[in-house]
Amino acid sequence: AQKITQTQPGMFVQEKEAVTLDCTYDTSDQSYGLFWYKQPSSGEMIFLIYQGSYDEQNATEGRYSLNFQKARKSANLVISASQLGDSAMYFCAMVFRDQGGKLIFGQGTELSVKP
Amino acid sequence: GAVVSQHPSWVICKSGTSVKIECRSLDFQATTMFWYRQFPKQSLMLMATSNEGSKATYEQGVEKDKFLINHASLTLSTLTVTSAHPEDSSFYICSASDRGGGVYEQYFGPGTRLTVT
């Protein structure tokens, strides 16, 4: 069965510090993709970063980086230099090429950045 | 580029009535659109996948006669909640993937908050 797990319902981080949000997944497929999305209180889903299962380098996008450990089936999101505007829900999601592109989401982590 | 809109952004309706939610890709052709449902403090749950010109594929446990999906063109998909009840109150989000991108390209609409009284 394909499953995404985020074990941290809520996280706190001090402004300007780095934070790691955990994501593990379970699949026997070799071809898949991993996403991280941010969802502020407005509800919109904001794409942050993507990692393909065959990508050898960890993905980075500005202050976001994805710590991809394929053997451990983990895809943790690292946010550096946290800002107050980073306070939101964060979802890890997985997509499979042979399933028409549909996303399977983790439970989400609510991040609160303290001033 | 790659903008997806939803209309309405919020709607309140009475129990027993039907509500239609539109999802439009504004600057690209969406061969596939996805409809998700999200309850407060919970994750997104995929309801159905719709491909232009064909019947939608519903996820297990989603009533196809209650949640009618029509993907009539490459830029428009609609979700109609028929005979709505208070338990249908939720946040509905659509996403769309384009013909030119890879299978992993998917763009989200801003969502529609439905409240059934």
Side-chain angles (χ1 to χ4, degrees), chain A residues 48-64:
Chain A
L48 296 179
I49 198 165
Y50 168 78
Q51 179 87 39
S53 59
Y54 294 117
D55 295 342
E56 295 185 352
Q57 302 246 351
N58 285 344
T60 60
E61 291 282 353
R63 295 188 296 113
Y64 305 106

Side-chain angles (χ1 to χ4, degrees), chain A residues 11 14 19 25 31 33 39 66 85-86 92 94 101:
Chain A
M11 288 279 288
Q14 204 68 35
V19 63
Y25 58 92
S31 180
Q39 187 181 41
L66 199 152
D86 293 335
C92 181
M94 199 166 186

Side-chain angles (χ1 to χ4, degrees), chain B residues 1 12 19 22 32-33 40 42 57 62 65 70 74 88 101-102 115 117:
Chain B
I12 301 172
V19 175
E22 293 186 348
T32 305
M33 286 185 171
Q42 293 188 23
T57 302
V62 177
D65 293 331
N70 187 332
L74 284 171
D88 299 323
T115 302
T117 61

Side-chain angles (χ1 to χ4, degrees), chain B residues 4 18 25 40 42 67 102 106 113:
Chain B
V4 176
S18 295
S25 56
Q42 293 188 23
F67 299 100
Q106 199 171 132
R113 294 194 185 276

Side-chain angles (χ1 to χ4, degrees), chain A residues 31-33 35 37 39 41-45 50 52 89 91 95-97 99-103 105-108 110, chain B residues 32 34 36 38 41-46 49 51 59 91 93 95 97 102-111 113:
Chain A
S31 180
Y32 52 88
F35 292 86
Y37 290 92
Q39 187 181 41
S41 57
S42 61
E44 61 183 312
M45 295 292 286
Y50 168 78
M89 284 291 291
F91 290 99
V95 66
F96 299 90
R97 189 178 294 278
Q99 293 191 25
K102 69 178 184 181
L103 290 169
F105 283 88
Q107 303 93 318
E110 184 171 12
Chain B
T32 305
F34 304 89
Y36 297 87
Q38 185 181 31
K41 298 293 185 182
Q42 293 188 23
S43 187
L44 280 74
M45 295 298 296
L46 179 67
T49 303
N51 292 294
E59 295 297 302
F91 189 56
I93 308 175
S95 69
S97 63
V103 70
Y104 298 156
E105 296 286 346
Q106 199 171 132
Y107 308 101
F108 284 86
R113 294 194 185 276

Side-chain angles (χ1 to χ4, degrees), chain A residues 65-81:
Chain A
S65 60
L66 199 152
N67 185 359
F68 182 47
Q69 298 190 37
K70 194 170 181 177
R72 293 187 176 185
K73 295 185 177 178
S74 75
N76 298 338
L77 176 71
V78 180
I79 304 175
S80 63

Side-chain angles (χ1 to χ4, degrees), chain A residues 17-31:
Chain A
E17 294 190 349
V19 63
T20 298
L21 306 183
D22 295 341
C23 173
T24 57
Y25 58 92
D26 187 16
T27 181
S28 56
D29 286 21
Q30 297 301 309
S31 180

